[in-house]
């Protein structure tokens, strides 16, 4: 293992000094991808700055202030400069800071970054992976737009940056720097940096380990956060057309370093540190995500005895754990099902008992009703019998009266006054020479107009008649 390496001198030219050139040529053929995430309130100048940075016009529609939640909108463009192809993705956090409750504003941003890491990890874990032509969508840099208030950072900014700093390279920038005075801007920058430090927010530091860029990068680190102005408008200054913002009192030139830090941002982001941003994303942020994810899945580098961990063993352990959990879940579900069945069964039994009670109650009511109806029927029958008897008596009376009338035709008129006499006031009375009188009668004449006719008529009803001696 500790075998000493020997230095050999070559006898002539071999050719491996062209290795860097080979790498360059391969990379150029392959092309590059660079993904920028813009986080900041709607209308802070994100789209304008992107157009200004890449000196083009990306298609963007004006964002509304009425989004229900923050949503990430990625747009990918193919750019070419000389013979270098760049697949540029600009992701806009639409609706950021527009909601009344901003507690969860950072979450969609964090989720988006994690999803891109997850996609890459899944590609890496594939048996047949094609990372060579995989479109890497991992976010390489997050430009965090700060409102030029001149006061301090908003809590939304601090919370969001804190949540993002372990996942992405953050470069804070003060937007619309032309709206704040030079002295205020200076104080504002110092305030922001001290707030970031005191809240433990780690922003991206331009690397100083590469000699070629160490000096410029350390100078630029002192200028953070960059105060930028964006504009795609061209204004004539002297005899040159420059990108600027024109005001009644003067012109703010985007690329004038005494007006704003736009040039510093472009230099640092694109010309000097683009590759470092890509590398940091892979080696720092993605590695952290991958490690956490694999540990979550149960993979480790060493076992508790500090022995190298076998993938096979991890797989077996995980499989057993998974099967055990599955069995436990199955058992729980079965138990739940049994309990549910028991519950339903007892509910049904209770319902059945209630129904039975109801039925018994109805049955009792029905029997009571039946008994009452029977009683009524018996009473009615008795009444009918009494009536029939009375009817018979009346009929007898009538026929005797008719007989008497036919024997004394001449005395007909007189007889009307001196009627035959019935003694007694009960039904079934016999005819005598006495006079008879019905003092109280309930006559229901069906065919007759007077009760006398009714008495004579067998289809009319005479009820509750009280018979007394006297004239009718
Ligand atoms: P976004 O919603 O964050 O993408 O904001 P936009 O880029 O659409 O810009 C919103 C408005 O701010 C537009 O009217 C821009 O012209 C203006 N704007 C953009 N950048 C600047 C700047 O640096 N200074 C000033 N004063 N206005 C700017």
């Amino acid at each position: 293992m500790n075998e000493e390496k020997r230095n050999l001198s070559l006898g002539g030219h071999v050719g491996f000094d062209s290795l860097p050139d080979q790498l360059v040529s391969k990379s150029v053929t392959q092309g590059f991808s660079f993904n920028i995430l813009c986080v900041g309130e709607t209308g802070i100048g994100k789209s304008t700055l992107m157009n200004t940075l890449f000196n083009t016009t990306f298609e963007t529609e004006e964002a509304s202030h009425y989004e229900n939640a923050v949503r990430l909108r990625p747009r990918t463009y193919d750019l070419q400069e000389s013979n270098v192809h760049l697949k540029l993705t600009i992701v806009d956090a639409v609706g950021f800071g527009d909601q009344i409750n901003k507690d969860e504003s950072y979450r969609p941003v964090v989720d988006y970054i994690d999803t891109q890491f997850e996609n890459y990890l899944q590609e890496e874990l594939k048996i047949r992976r094609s990372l060579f032509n995989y479109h890497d969508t991992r976010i390489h840099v997050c430009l965090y737009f700060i409102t030029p208030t001149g006061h301090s950072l908003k809590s939304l900014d601090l919370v969001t940056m804190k949540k993002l700093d372990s996942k992405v390279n953050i470069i804070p920038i003060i937007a619309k720097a032309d709206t704040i005075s030079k002295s205020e801007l200076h104080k504002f920058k110092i305030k922001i940096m001290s707030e970031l430090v005191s809240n433990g927010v780690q922003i991206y530091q331009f690397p100083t380990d590469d000699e070629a860029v160490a000096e410029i990068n350390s100078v630029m680190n002192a200028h953070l956060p960059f105060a930028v102005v964006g504009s795609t408008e061209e204004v004539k200054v002297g005899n040159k057309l420059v990108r600027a913002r024109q005001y009644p009192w003067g012109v703010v030139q985007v690329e004038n370093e005494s007006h704003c830090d736009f040039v510093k941002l472009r230099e640092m982001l694109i010309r000097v540190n683009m590759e470092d941003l890509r590398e940091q994303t892979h080696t720092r942020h993605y590695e952290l995500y991958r490690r956490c994810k694999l540990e979550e899945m149960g993979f480790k580098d060493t076992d508790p005895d500090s022995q190298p961990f076998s993938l096979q063993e991890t797989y077996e352990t995980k499989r057993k754990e998974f099967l055990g959990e599955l069995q436990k879940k199955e058992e729980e579900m079965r138990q739940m099902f049994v309990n549910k069945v028991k519950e339903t069964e007892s509910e049904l039994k209770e319902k059945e008992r209630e129904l039975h009670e109801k039925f018994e109650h109805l049955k009792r009511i029905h029997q009571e009703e039946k008994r009452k109806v029977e009683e009524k029927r018996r009473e009615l029958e008795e009444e009918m019998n009494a009536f029939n008897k009375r009817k018979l008596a009346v009929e007898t009376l009538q026929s005797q009266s008719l007989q008497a009338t036919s024997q004394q035709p001449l005395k007909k008129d007189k007889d009307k006054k001196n009627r035959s006499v019935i003694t007694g006031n009960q039904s079934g009375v016999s005819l005598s020479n006495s006079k008879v009188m019905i003092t109280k009668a309930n006559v229901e004449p069906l065919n007759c107009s007077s009760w006398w006719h009714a008495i004579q008529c067998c289809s009319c009803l005479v009820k509750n008649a009280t018979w007394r001696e006297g004239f009718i």
Side-chain angles (χ1 to χ4, degrees), residues 40-49 62-63 92 175-179 228-231 245 247:
E41 291 169 15
T42 309
I44 203 167
K46 300 185 290 291
S47 323
T48 311
L49 189 76
E62 203 173 288
D92 193 358
K176 298 190 180 181
D178 53 328
T179 60
V228 296
V229 173
S231 175
R245 299 190 76 84
Y247 294 105

Side-chain angles (χ1 to χ4, degrees), residues 434-451:
S434 325
K435 293 163 192 164
V436 77
M437 184 166 67
I438 298 171
T439 54
K440 194 175 102 189
N442 186 2
V443 180
E444 273 180 37
L446 300 179
N447 300 317
C448 310
S449 51
S450 77
W451 62 269

Side-chain angles (χ1 to χ4, degrees), residues 72-90:
L72 280 289
R73 186 182 57 196
R75 289 219 161 107
T76 304
Y77 308 91
D78 275 318
L79 304 179
Q80 187 179 354
E81 195 170 35
S82 309
N83 61 344
V84 177
H85 291 269
L86 179 71
K87 206 182 266 278
L88 175 74
T89 302
I90 298 171

